[in-house]
Amino acid sequence: RIRGLRAHERASMSLHMSALLPAASRAAAVGARVLAARPSAANSATLRAAAVRRDGAHRARLFCASAAVKEPEVAAKAGTDAPTPTLAWKAAIDFKRIKENPDAIQANADKRAAPCDVAKVVSTYDRYQALNRQCDEIREKRNANAKSMKGKMEADVRAALVEEGKALKDQLAAIEGDLNALEVELQVEGQKIPNDTHPDVPVGGEEMAVLRREVGAKRDFSFEVANHVDIGERLGMFDFGTGSKVCGSRFVYLTGAGAMLELALINWAMQKVVSKGFKPMVVPDLVRQSTMEKCGFQPRAENTQVYNIESSELCLAGTAEILLGGVYMDEVVDEKQLPIKMAAFSHCFRTEAGAAGASTRGMYRLHQFSKVEMFVVSTPEQSDALHDELIGIEEEMYRELGFHFKVLDMSSEDLGAPAYRKFDIEAWMPALERYGEISSASNCTDYQARRLNIKYRPNAVDGKKQPLAHCHTLNATACAVPRMIITILENFQNEDGSVNVPEPLQPFMGGLKVLTPEVVAEAK
């Protein structure tokens, strides 16, 4: 499907509600067919989620990646009963740089509160290098031994050479086993090291986040503010009862104006990002665990937010960032193609286990929601400017809707392992009496690209080809639907229970300007 999209990327695209509704329906139908086509898995598999350890922060986080470290898979070495650890994939970590700058890299990890042992990584790397050199020496001896057996010679001389060759072979096999184990240890420990940190990132916990700018002001209400749940239920937008009955807690049926508002937000957001040069996509809901790990998430960790599909290598994606990151996995692109800008509509799935309190009521923290995500693949020289561009697009969108919000430069301890720098946008939510995160924009530099194996070929210099280099990746939220609905309902509510529809969304709502509850409509 991706190849088909690339082949037709020059075709003009017109996004509107009538186009998106069948697309969204098709995406849901395809997902259902995928699961239905696997009866054995469907009958025996269950969605499982480990409890999430929360650090008690008052501000809800969206989906924060951490170092993708897992226990290596175990396989039996041929001809023996001894299990040998194997790696499902390898990250292209720059161990030489770590060895040359151990103190700086440990200090960087410490200020991000990332548990890793750089000294252990360096020590393991030294042992790995020494053993690798020893393997090379034995291989040279084997090659010399093989060459020496060419031609005529006495039988006893040949026999001695054969015995020497067998001994070298056995010696090499033993050392290669140790080398493989060391490589596994090196990857496991090395992947715990987070990305570098931008020098302007404030150091400390989330309370140290720096305000970049504040847009708009809090609305002065002349009546008692209602929360989004009460507003939505009066307007017939939400059905939490049916969601709970059919699916369990933290699921909702969007009905009537609620369903129309979600589709309006998605269409509006996609139209905006396409106008900024992003290629639109609708991506699958399921993804390989290995792809998720390469993006910096932990689908199999104890504190995971990921729903795993039992007896399968698949899991439910928590963000389209993972699916978009995988588009150019194991590929090389020419520098002239960069930057590559993609945007996807997707469903997102989060366990949200362990979360409690008033801030989790209603739409604020659901197990499933819709989102439009932006993703960029770039050269290292382009990524800082693109990061500013992404946060600029988000600000422009929320200004158009009339939101009051803050733009924050997030602190070092609030960065996931992949992020070099992260900007968050928090909108004022009157009923909650606080700001809530509605989007973020992260520059992950080459952290994800080294794991996804995304490289580019620099332009030739003086006619000479340049060596391949790892790309940079960036991601940003264009529209996380539930948080947007909360912000709209609580900020644009009226005393009679109606809600004004932001002007940019009205064309996607059939021209509707005001959402009016049935009781008010009957009274009029």
Side-chain angles (χ1 to χ4, degrees), residues 15 39 50 53 59 68 73 79 135 147 185 193 256 271 286 290 299 316 354 362 398 405 416 420 435 438 456 508 511:
L15 294 178
R53 185 180 66 250
R59 193 159 86 35
E73 297 173 3
C135 281
K147 286 181 181 179
E185 182 181 350
I193 298 175
Q271 185 182 72
L286 294 170
S290 58
L316 291 170
Y398 307 145
F405 60 88
Y420 174 65
Y435 294 89
I438 60 171
Y456 75 100
F508 302 98

Side-chain angles (χ1 to χ4, degrees), residues 99-381:
K99 177 178 171 61
E100 292 172 350
N101 305 277
D103 293 339
I105 290 173
Q106 184 66 63
N108 174 71
D110 290 345
K111 70 182 179 183
R112 294 169 69 118
C116 66
D117 188 342
V118 175
K120 183 177 181 181
V121 173
V122 172
S123 172
T124 305
Y125 178 65
D126 286 341
R127 288 185 290 135
Y128 177 82
Q129 290 289 85
L131 205 57
N132 199 31
R133 286 192 294 270
Q134 192 175 344
C135 281
D136 289 341
E137 291 172 0
I138 295 173
R139 290 189 189 101
E140 289 179 5
K141 290 179 180 179
R142 284 192 69 191
N143 290 338
N145 174 269
K147 286 181 181 179
S148 65
M149 285 194 289
K150 292 180 180 179
K152 295 182 179 181
M153 63 187 69
E154 297 295 329
D156 57 340
V157 175
R158 182 175 294 277
L161 288 173
V162 169
E163 287 301 316
E164 181 187 6
K166 289 180 179 179
L168 289 171
K169 180 181 178 181
D170 292 341
Q171 187 180 358
L172 183 61
I175 294 177
E176 283 179 337
D178 294 338
L179 189 68
N180 179 70
L182 268 180
E183 184 180 31
V184 171
E185 182 181 350
L186 188 59
Q187 279 287 323
V188 169
E189 296 301 322
Q191 287 182 36
K192 295 177 183 178
I193 298 175
N195 199 354
D196 292 340
T197 308
H198 190 285
D200 292 340
V201 168
V203 177
E206 65 177 359
E207 70 282 355
M208 299 303 294
V210 172
L211 178 67
R212 285 171 59 89
R213 67 185 61 86
E214 186 170 349
V215 176
K218 298 176 184 177
R219 179 182 169 188
D220 185 15
F221 289 90
S222 59
F223 56 90
E224 185 177 352
V225 176
N227 65 63
H228 74 279
V229 177
D230 294 338
I231 298 169
E233 288 180 343
R234 283 202 302 266
L235 290 168
M237 298 173 68
F238 308 147
D239 187 349
F240 286 97
T242 300
S244 179
K245 177 180 70 174
V246 176
C247 309
S249 62
R250 300 198 187 180
F251 288 94
V252 64
Y253 278 54
L254 293 178
T255 58
M260 296 295 288
L261 184 55
E262 165 156 327
L263 292 167
L265 283 164
I266 293 165
N267 275 280
W268 167 76
M270 288 297 280
Q271 185 182 72
K272 287 293 293 185
V273 297
V274 168
S275 73
K276 301 295 184 181
F278 286 78
K279 178 180 178 179
M281 297 186 184
V282 178
V283 297
D285 291 336
L286 294 170
V287 65
R288 293 181 189 273
Q289 291 178 343
S290 58
T291 307
M292 184 169 279
E293 289 166 356
K294 291 173 184 178
C295 287
F297 297 89
Q298 294 182 295
R300 286 175 276 197
E302 272 191 27
N303 62 341
T304 185
Q305 284 222 54
V306 178
Y307 282 107
N308 288 289
I309 307 301
E310 196 167 309
S311 304
S312 168
E313 63 174 347
L314 297 173
C315 50
L316 291 170
T319 169
E321 170 193 342
I322 301 159
L323 283 303
L324 293 175
V327 171
Y328 287 92
M329 179 170 59
D330 298 324
E331 292 192 18
V332 176
V333 297
D334 290 329
E335 183 177 348
K336 63 185 178 182
Q337 294 177 256
L338 301 174
I340 296 169
K341 300 178 180 180
M342 300 172 282
F345 161 75
S346 75
H347 299 113
C348 305
F349 302 87
R350 316 279 174 86
T351 66
E352 299 293 4
S359 66
T360 66
R361 184 171 178 245
M363 297 281 288
Y364 199 87
R365 201 173 278 282
L366 298 172
H367 290 310
Q368 176 183 336
F369 61 93
S370 301
K371 181 159 69 83
V372 176
E373 181 81 2
M374 297 179 282
F375 193 89
V376 182
V377 180
S378 76
T379 67
E381 294 76 18

